[in-house]
Amino acid sequence: MKTTLEELQAFAAVVDAGSVTAAAAQLGQTASGISRALARLEKKLDTTLLRRTTRRIELTEEGQAFLTRARAILAALDEAEEHMAARRGQPAGRLRVNAATPFMLHVVAPLVPAFRRAHPQIALELDTDERNIDLLERRTDVAIRIGALRDSTLHARPLGSSRLRVLANPAYLAAHGRPKSVAALAQHTLLGFTQPEALNLWPLRGPHGDAWAATPDIAASSGETLRQLALRAAGIACLADFMTERDRERGDLVQVLARHTADVRQPISAVYYRNTQLASRIACFLDFLAARMATAPS
């Protein structure tokens, strides 16, 4: 019997999601259905593709080799569907987008309803990570990255930038006083990132130049966690405008040391692997996102 597309999709989804249950949720199927598809596939191929333990699933050597071919087949199908959609003048297909949690929550998610109205045939799959991911391994079409890009194997499209500000909740400042100088920050609770260290360089002028290295008293891996801590008067944080615009408008967060703050902006880029003409579903999403970001307050 020939291998079916359903079996290839089930196999790739289990590898990507890390479990049968997660793969079933991703594909909108039952866990038992995914397990049966995997069993049929292994029987047809007469080999073991996955080692299953109580804690995780691992690829066998044969599974790794077959996964490469399976991904190529699934990608070819996506491209064929996309080509036919392009002939009809309507971008279509599944679009997998990855971004850090704050950007996904404050920029991408609010735009999804309008994007879906404009492009109803594009099925969005949104994924968040605080660290850079391997786009091929995660079958991601496009990732939004904030800050300087380091991976030269990726193709990038600039989308805009977002200014950094040092912020605190008025309740925190009422309880602990407003710092009058950069040196005075040593007397305050500072909220910063666990890593990378570059995220703890605050745009404050001084003998050190325009970047002051903060030593966090409370550290977190996500900017959204730091935002929530700052809103709850836990300390002073340095955050990007794209995630604090409404907080500042409402007065829930106020800028401190404004006269000492340099105009430092984090570049925001879309990265992808394709070096040929962009797939229409990716291109229309990036056009849509860039246009909305261009009209946002800077």
Side-chain angles (χ1 to χ4, degrees):
M1 291 188 294
K2 297 293 185 180
T3 299
T4 67
L5 179 62
E6 177 191 4
E7 291 160 356
L8 293 182
Q9 289 173 327
F11 173 52
V14 168
V15 174
D16 292 338
S19 73
V20 169
T21 301
Q26 179 179 308
L27 295 177
Q29 299 181 23
T30 64
S32 59
I34 296 295
S35 294
R36 287 195 297 271
L38 287 176
R40 289 196 305 270
L41 181 60
E42 290 184 323
K43 184 176 181 180
K44 290 176 182 179
L45 297 175
D46 192 25
T47 191
T48 300
L49 300 173
L50 298 167
R51 295 191 189 94
R52 303 163 181 81
T53 69
T54 55
R55 293 189 175 183
R56 61 180 179 174
I57 291 178
E58 293 180 344
L59 282 167
T60 63
E61 185 176 344
E62 293 77 11
Q64 184 63 62
F66 187 74
L67 178 64
T68 301
R69 299 296 181 90
R71 289 203 195 283
I73 293 168
L74 293 172
L77 179 63
D78 284 345
E79 289 182 10
E81 291 178 342
E82 182 184 308
H83 176 71
M84 295 308 296
R87 287 172 64 92
R88 298 191 302 270
Q90 272 286 356
R94 185 167 299 278
L95 178 62
R96 301 174 178 88
V97 180
N98 177 275
T101 302
F103 194 85
M104 188 69 77
L105 289 175
H106 297 281
V107 180
V108 177
L111 298 179
V112 167
F115 180 77
R116 287 282 295 150
R117 285 193 295 271
H119 303 284
Q121 296 187 50
I122 295 179
L124 284 173
E125 192 172 293
L126 306 178
D127 186 37
T128 57
D129 271 283
E130 307 315 318
R131 299 180 184 178
N132 292 347
I133 64 164
D134 185 317
L135 273 64
L136 290 178
E137 181 180 325
R138 296 281 287 275
R139 296 187 66 209
T140 296
D141 295 303
V142 61
I144 311 301
R145 294 192 175 167
I146 301 169
L149 298 177
R150 298 183 181 86
D151 192 341
S152 61
T153 66
L154 295 173
H155 296 265
R157 172 176 169 176
L159 296 175
S161 63
S162 189
R163 188 177 181 184
L164 293 170
R165 301 177 198 263
V166 180
L167 304 164
N169 181 273
Y172 174 87
L173 298 176
H176 303 279
R178 181 185 289 266
K180 298 292 193 294
S181 66
V182 177
L185 288 173
Q187 309 305 316
H188 288 267
T189 300
L190 304 184
L191 311 175
F193 290 87
T194 51
Q195 59 179 336
E197 284 302 315
L199 292 178
N200 291 323
L201 292 176
W202 292 11
L204 298 173
R205 300 187 187 94
H208 45 270
D210 287 346
W212 180 76
T215 301
D217 298 290
I218 303 173
S221 61
S222 169
E224 182 59 23
T225 301
L226 297 178
R227 171 179 169 268
Q228 293 294 335
L229 288 168
L231 287 170
R232 286 159 176 75
I236 299 175
C238 179
L239 299 170
D241 277 0
F242 74 79
M243 62 187 298
T244 63
E245 178 187 347
R246 289 178 179 80
D247 301 326
R248 289 180 285 112
E249 288 175 352
R250 291 190 296 258
D252 295 333
L253 290 177
V254 297
Q255 187 172 0
V256 299
L257 297 172
R259 290 191 302 167
H260 299 271
T261 300
D263 187 355
V264 173
R265 296 169 186 266
Q266 289 182 319
I268 300 173
S269 309
V271 298
Y272 47 89
Y273 272 108
R274 296 188 181 188
N275 54 9
T276 56
Q277 183 177 359
L278 270 182
S280 59
R281 68 184 187 279
I282 300 176
C284 72
F285 175 78
L286 296 184
D287 289 344
F288 188 92
L289 182 57
R292 296 310 188 277
M293 289 182 63
T295 61
S298 60

